[in-house]
Amino acid sequence: MLDIKDFNILETQNTFDFKGFLSKLISYWKWFILCLILTFTVAYQVNIRKEKIYGMETLIVVKDENNQLFSSSTSLVFNWGGTSDKVQTVITTLKSRSHNEVVIKELQFYINYLKQGEFSLQDAYGETPFKVIIDENKGQIANQLLKIKFLNQNQIELSTTFENSIANLYHYADNTNSSTKVPIGDFVKTFNINEKIELPFLSFKVTQDLMNLNNLKQEYFIKFSDFNGTVAGYRNVDVEADIKGGSIIKIAKAGTNKARLVDFLNATVTTLKRRQLESKNQFATNTIRFIDSTLIDVEKQMNQAEGDLKDFRRDKNVYMLEGGGEALTSKLSEYDVEKDIVNRKIAYYNLLKNYLEKNNDYSKLPAPSVAGIEDPNIIGNVSRLIELSAERSELAYSVKNDKMFAEFDVQMESVKKVLLNNIASSKSALQIDLSLLSSNINTAESTISQLPDQQQDLIKFTRKFNLKDNIYTTFLEKRAEANIIKASNLSDVDFIDPAKDVGDGLIGPKTSVNYILALLLGLGIPFIVVFVKTLLDNSINTTEDIEKLTKIPIIGVIGNNKDNGNLAVFEKSNSTLSESFRGIRSSLQFIYKKQKIEGPKIVMLTSSISGEGKTFCTMNLATVFAMSSKKTVIVGLDLRKPKLFDDFKIDNIIGSVNYLIGQKTLDEIIQKTHIPNLDLITSGPVPPNPAELIISESMKEMIEELKLKYDYIILDTPPVGLVADALELAQYCDATLYVVRQGVTKKGMLSVVNEKHKRGELHNISIILNDFLNESKYGYGYNYKHGYGAYGEDYKESKKKNKFLNWFRKKQ
């Protein structure tokens, strides 16, 4: 017997039982198998429904293509800067909205060609036996599937279904939206190939694609998507510079249709080359535009001068008039040409200064060389301004960074100030040259004034004509020069390896990832469930749980009953369950011997609440004593909820209550059972005052009389956690067995029995762990049902049965 001073209550401990948790995980192996089957099935279904993903790429090089025809006087081109600057500009441009708008517009990728796949609609671009040519100025129905079915090689059936009376339309000419009324229901109509289809919601024609005429039996669908949304989808193209070769750029794009990817990648590079060459030719283009506008006036002036000269020379002896004046005429013509050059330079500087002061877009500036300006500072700064202006305009569509634009503005303002200073200093030098030329011309003209009048007139008309002719010829040369340079320029961007479908390129879907995810989920979900269940489970499940919560010894562990009957020991005396009760009997005898208890023995069985198997243990422990030829009696003292009689097929008309109130004698309430040496005293009718009967003198008399008749007296009492009846009976008992049921008894309930034992209200107490299930050790199933159920008004049961858990255990 335990000494109370050695008793130490350990009511709660927060340590986690890893060994028990691992054992529980193993016991739920069926859940793991079920979850794995489920997750792998889902992963398989997802994988077979996913479209294949392809990756296509192209390689381009960015270099400095210098025109071999350039000279110091033909600076009609500007560059983007060094190669590294060009590479960054190309990368930014390829991802810009403005660039991709041009590409998508040319490819008309906002028209979706689809076909029905095994599980969903698939991209049929490049496979359809037809092409759709739309009228971009008219509205096309938005995001509506239009089915196209070939009736024969020259006829198609166009059909769709309208769910609403209003249809939204896209206008691709200006990217606007509108709406129109449509008939609700199915729309079906037949059209000829190449026939213009004019409907309130459509305006296009269908042409044949001779490359895919073998696919006429397939049904196809077309759908018109939002232009801006389509462009946004292609701006995520992967562009990166090669680490080893800084001027090499790889452009890659992933998608479900290889033909579409190839066309997009090649078109985006072709568009880039064209736009870059246009930018590179900007000087030449501006120069040609300026010269063309100037030549019109110069040509008129030259024709006028030529006409005046012809009129003057008519009916005159020109040879006599020219005699003696050739040298003066030649000299004056040279002075006039030089003066015109100086004037043109000054006029260009005035034009340039005025343009710089009144405009912010400098991309349309003509080249300084058009005016004969060869000053490297002027040429370099004008070129730099055009470069910065063009680059800023390009970034405006792809970058939303005010700081970057501010930096561009600062740079352009700085170049503009330097250029204005250059203009001022150059104009000052030209004014000096102009004064000197004017003085020389005045000297020559004073000499001419001494010649005869007709000779002076001839020199005047000849001089005027020569000047206009020289100017006209100079502009023609400059224009031809600009055209030659423009024609001979090469783009700084070129293909190394164009995109091409060579049969590979498959990069997805990543089916292995889904299967790995299925494995993780299949193992993780039941693991988490069991883990959370373990954390939230406040029930006693193992002997270790009991040992952590109390110092009361465990006298035995009872497994489960596989059968429906509660008389398990009598019905299967050789079972493991029977051996468990025999072990408890042996332990009780050891306790009696150690405590030197002789004569009849009284054993009381109690528990915390109903449903823990107290009555089941009472019947089978009594059966074990009876089968060992010991006269044994079970006394039903659960006066509030009688139950013992059911399994013995004995009625409960009379019992302990009748004796305690003096109605019957002991012999009259004792009933024989079908088990040899085992008698039963049922509790009898439910009294109005069960507690008073338990503590009455009649109870003591009944116990004393029973000691005279039996070797073992087994008391079946109410739960000690609910009522005090069992505590009143403890004074008569030689041993108390406290029944704890695995998965039912809460850990906190042991604090009640700990406290009562500490105060001495329960003595010689031991614990029975009932209904123990540990497949890894015992291999028991979980099948039997027993316990109290509801106590009605007398007992307030604290446990709510977990129906799902009971069902699952029963299935196991």
Side-chain angles (χ1 to χ4, degrees):
M1 177 177 177
L2 287 174
D3 200 314
I4 258 184
K5 67 182 178 124
D6 296 328
F7 187 75
N8 182 28
I9 300 176
L10 299 174
E11 295 189 4
T12 58
Q13 290 196 11
N14 295 323
T15 57
F16 185 77
D17 185 5
F18 288 98
K19 183 178 178 181
F21 176 64
L22 181 61
S23 176
K24 183 171 287 190
L25 280 179
I26 296 174
S27 68
Y28 284 100
W29 63 270
K30 292 181 181 179
W31 284 27
F32 284 91
I33 296 297
L34 181 64
C35 284
L36 285 172
I37 293 174
L38 180 62
T39 54
F40 272 92
T41 301
V42 172
Y44 172 75
Q45 293 297 325
V46 170
N47 285 338
I48 63 175
R49 282 168 170 77
K50 280 189 174 181
E51 288 191 72
K52 293 181 178 180
I53 306 297
Y54 299 94
M56 292 291 159
E57 64 181 39
T58 180
L59 288 179
I60 62 174
V61 62
V62 181
K63 51 190 177 181
D64 286 320
E65 285 289 359
N66 294 320
N67 197 321
Q68 300 299 319
L69 299 176
F70 288 169
S71 65
S72 61
S73 62
T74 58
S75 299
L76 299 177
V77 68
F78 71 89
N79 293 320
W80 287 353
T83 301
S84 60
D85 292 334
K86 292 180 182 180
V87 169
Q88 292 303 317
T89 302
V90 167
I91 292 175
T92 303
T93 301
L94 288 171
K95 293 185 176 182
S96 68
R97 180 176 62 83
S98 60
H99 172 80
N100 283 285
E101 281 181 351
V102 175
V103 177
I104 299 303
K105 197 81 169 178
E106 291 181 356
L107 295 174
Q108 292 190 331
F109 272 3
Y110 45 79
I111 303 176
N112 297 286
Y113 297 88
L114 306 167
K115 67 178 181 180
Q116 183 62 52
E118 184 177 359
F119 300 104
S120 61
L121 290 175
Q122 297 177 350
D123 189 352
Y125 178 87
E127 302 176 22
T128 59
F130 64 92
K131 293 290 183 184
V132 173
I133 301 175
I134 68 171
D135 184 349
E136 295 190 349
N137 294 311
K138 296 185 178 180
Q140 315 296 334
I141 190 166
N143 295 318
Q144 176 84 16
L145 279 178
L146 304 171
K147 184 166 73 173
I148 294 180
K149 178 181 179 181
F150 275 81
L151 302 178
N152 53 58
Q153 191 167 344
N154 298 314
Q155 280 189 319
I156 61 167
E157 180 184 86
L158 178 67
S159 61
T160 188
T161 301
F162 295 109
E163 297 181 356
N164 299 310
S165 60
I166 302 296
N168 294 323
L169 306 179
Y170 288 137
H171 299 265
Y172 292 108
D174 53 4
N175 295 327
T176 58
N177 298 330
S178 66
S179 61
T180 186
K181 290 185 178 181
V182 293
I184 296 178
D186 295 334
F187 171 87
V188 181
K189 198 168 183 180
T190 302
F191 297 96
N192 294 323
I193 293 293
N194 295 320
E195 177 186 354
K196 184 69 178 291
I197 301 175
E198 287 287 355
L199 297 170
F201 54 90
L202 286 175
S203 181
F204 65 78
K205 67 178 179 178
V206 177
T207 62
Q208 285 185 344
D209 186 346
L210 299 179
M211 299 294 293
N212 298 306
L213 288 181
N214 294 329
N215 301 333
L216 294 178
K217 295 182 180 180
Q218 174 81 39
E219 291 183 351
Y220 296 97
F221 300 87
I222 60 172
K223 184 173 70 171
F224 298 100
S225 298
D226 176 59
F227 178 77
N228 292 325
T230 305
V231 171
Y234 283 89
R235 288 184 62 186
N236 61 352
V237 61
D238 185 16
V239 186
E240 60 182 15
D242 192 282
I243 299 176
K244 297 180 179 179
S247 62
I248 297 175
I249 298 176
K250 182 177 75 173
I251 311 169
K253 179 72 175 172
T256 60
N257 187 291
K258 291 194 284 185
R260 185 183 291 274
L261 295 175
V262 169
D263 286 354
F264 171 75
L265 291 175
N266 290 332
T268 195
V269 176
T270 302
T271 302
L272 176 70
K273 289 179 63 178
R274 184 180 69 247
R275 298 182 72 187
Q276 191 272 333
L277 186 57
E278 290 174 355
S279 297
K280 193 173 185 179
N281 287 332
Q282 191 67 51
F283 255 12
T285 302
N286 293 349
T287 300
I288 292 172
R289 188 185 303 115
F290 177 80
I291 291 174
D292 286 343
S293 63
T294 306
L295 279 176
I296 296 174
D297 294 332
V298 174
E299 186 176 10
K300 291 179 180 179
Q301 295 173 12
M302 188 188 70
N303 291 335
Q304 181 66 37
E306 184 181 14
D308 292 342
L309 180 59
K310 287 180 179 180
D311 291 341
F312 176 77
R313 296 177 67 172
R314 188 177 295 115
D315 301 327
K316 292 183 177 66
N317 189 345
V318 177
Y319 295 103
M320 289 183 64
L321 292 176
E322 288 177 349
E326 296 90 341
L328 288 173
T329 302
S330 176
K331 194 65 176 176
L332 271 174
S333 294
E334 290 178 8
Y335 289 151
D336 287 337
V337 170
E338 291 178 13
K339 183 179 180 181
D340 179 71
I341 290 174
V342 173
N343 283 328
R344 272 194 285 126
K345 289 181 179 180
I346 294 174
Y348 178 82
Y349 284 140
N350 291 332
L351 173 66
L352 183 59
K353 180 183 178 182
N354 185 60
Y355 191 92
L356 292 175
E357 292 175 346
K358 294 184 178 180
N359 294 278
N360 294 321
D361 182 10
Y362 310 114
S363 61
K364 296 181 180 181
L365 285 174
S369 59
V370 75
I373 297 173
E374 298 177 3
D375 186 342
N377 293 324
I378 299 293
I379 294 174
N381 287 326
V382 171
S383 174
R384 182 60 177 161
L385 267 182
I386 296 176
E387 172 193 349
L388 291 173
S389 184
E391 190 172 348
R392 190 187 190 282
S393 298
E394 203 60 51
L395 291 176
Y397 293 103
S398 57
V399 178
K400 304 300 181 186
N401 190 330
D402 294 336
K403 183 179 179 182
M404 180 177 291
F405 291 139
E407 291 176 357
F408 271 100
D409 293 338
V410 169
Q411 290 184 54
M412 288 191 289
E413 188 65 27
S414 176
V415 174
K416 186 172 75 171
K417 288 180 179 179
V418 173
L419 188 54
L420 289 172
N421 290 331
N422 291 336
I423 291 173
S425 60
S426 296
K427 281 180 65 178
S428 297
L430 288 173
Q431 290 293 344
I432 296 173
D433 293 340
L434 184 60
S435 298
L436 181 60
L437 285 171
S438 296
S439 176
N440 292 334
I441 290 173
N442 290 334
T443 302
E445 286 179 344
S446 64
T447 304
I448 292 174
S449 65
Q450 299 175 8
L451 296 175
D453 291 340
Q454 285 191 350
Q455 196 168 6
Q456 290 184 40
D457 291 339
L458 177 61
I459 291 173
K460 183 179 68 173
F461 288 123
T462 303
R463 175 186 172 189
K464 183 178 180 181
F465 172 76
N466 288 341
L467 177 60
K468 300 303 179 183
D469 181 63
N470 182 271
I471 294 173
Y472 188 78
T473 302
T474 301
F475 275 113
L476 286 178
E477 290 175 355
K478 292 293 184 180
R479 191 183 191 282
E481 191 177 88
N483 276 323
I484 292 172
I485 292 173
K486 185 176 180 180
S488 59
N489 268 340
L490 297 175
S491 173
D492 290 341
V493 178
D494 200 6
F495 279 107
I496 293 179
D497 193 6
K500 185 179 180 181
D501 180 12
V502 293
D504 56 0
L506 182 65
I507 61 173
K510 301 292 185 181
T511 56
S512 58
V513 173
N514 288 337
Y515 287 127
I516 293 174
L517 183 61
L519 177 63
L520 294 176
L521 289 176
L523 296 176
I525 291 175
F527 179 86
I528 293 173
V529 171
V530 174
F531 181 75
V532 172
K533 183 179 176 183
T534 302
L535 289 180
L536 299 179
D537 185 11
N538 195 34
S539 303
I540 293 175
N541 294 297
T542 63
T543 56
E544 287 80 3
D545 291 340
I546 299 174
E547 290 169 354
K548 292 176 183 178
L549 296 170
T550 182
K551 289 297 183 180
I552 299 175
I554 301 173
I555 196 171
V557 177
I558 306 298
N560 70 307
N561 181 20
K562 299 179 182 179
D563 303 314
N564 291 328
N566 283 336
L567 296 174
V569 173
F570 179 74
E571 293 171 356
K572 291 185 178 181
S573 60
N574 295 324
S575 66
T576 307
L577 192 66
S578 300
E579 291 301 322
S580 300
F581 282 104
R582 291 190 183 98
I584 295 174
R585 179 189 63 187
S586 299
S587 297
L588 284 173
Q589 290 173 348
F590 176 77
I591 292 174
Y592 296 149
K593 183 177 180 181
K594 186 177 180 181
Q595 299 297 328
K596 298 179 180 180
I597 299 174
E598 303 292 340
K601 315 296 189 306
I602 302 176
V603 181
M604 179 179 74
L605 281 87
T606 187
S607 63
S608 298
I609 60 171
S610 63
E612 293 175 314
K614 172 176 56 62
T615 300
F616 171 79
C617 293
T618 299
M619 291 187 295
N620 285 283
L621 183 61
T623 302
V624 167
F625 282 119
M627 293 178 68
S628 61
S629 300
K630 299 293 183 180
K631 289 182 63 64
T632 307
V633 63
I634 302 174
V635 182
L637 295 177
D638 189 352
L639 306 183
R640 291 175 172 82
K641 186 176 180 294
K643 188 178 180 183
L644 278 170
F645 54 89
D646 288 336
D647 293 284
F648 291 103
K649 295 181 172 46
I650 294 175
D651 56 49
N652 189 38
I653 298 175
I654 58 173
S656 301
V657 173
N658 301 94
Y659 178 87
L660 295 174
I661 62 177
Q663 288 182 348
K664 300 289 183 180
T665 63
L666 185 63
D667 291 335
E668 289 176 326
I669 63 174
I670 295 175
Q671 301 185 62
K672 298 290 183 180
T673 69
H674 61 284
I675 300 174
N677 299 317
L678 180 60
D679 293 340
L680 174 65
I681 299 176
T682 63
S683 59
V686 178
N689 56 344
E692 286 74 9
L693 293 178
I694 293 295
I695 63 176
S696 66
E697 285 296 321
S698 299
M699 175 60 69
K700 182 177 181 180
E701 294 173 1
M702 185 174 70
I703 295 296
E704 293 299 326
E705 288 188 48
L706 289 173
K707 285 183 178 181
L708 299 175
K709 294 178 176 289
Y710 295 97
D711 298 317
Y712 285 93
I713 303 166
I714 312 298
L715 305 183
D716 180 47
T717 65
V720 70
L722 299 180
V723 293
D725 296 4
L727 298 177
E728 301 296 339
L729 295 170
Q731 59 183 312
Y732 305 115
C733 301
D734 301 310
T736 300
L737 301 182
Y738 185 81
V739 180
V740 172
R741 184 174 179 180
Q742 183 187 43
V744 175
T745 304
K746 300 301 178 183
K747 294 178 181 179
M749 294 178 180
L750 286 183
S751 62
V752 176
V753 70
N754 277 338
E755 187 64 26
K756 296 183 183 302
H757 183 266
K758 184 178 180 181
R759 292 199 301 261
E761 297 177 18
L762 295 173
H763 59 276
N764 270 0
I765 185 171
S766 301
I767 293 176
I768 295 177
L769 177 56
N770 182 35
D771 201 17
F772 183 71
L773 174 67
N774 190 340
E775 292 184 350
S776 61
K777 293 182 179 180
Y778 298 97
Y780 295 149
Y782 195 104
N783 198 18
Y784 81 99
K785 302 176 182 177
H786 58 275
Y788 281 99
Y791 262 77
E793 296 298 327
D794 297 292
Y795 297 141
K796 293 184 179 179
E797 185 177 344
S798 63
K799 176 186 179 298
K800 293 182 179 179
K801 292 185 177 180
N802 188 327
K803 295 182 179 180
F804 174 75
L805 183 61
N806 289 340
W807 173 85
F808 181 74
R809 287 178 172 174
K810 183 177 180 180
K811 291 298 181 183
Q812 283 188 310

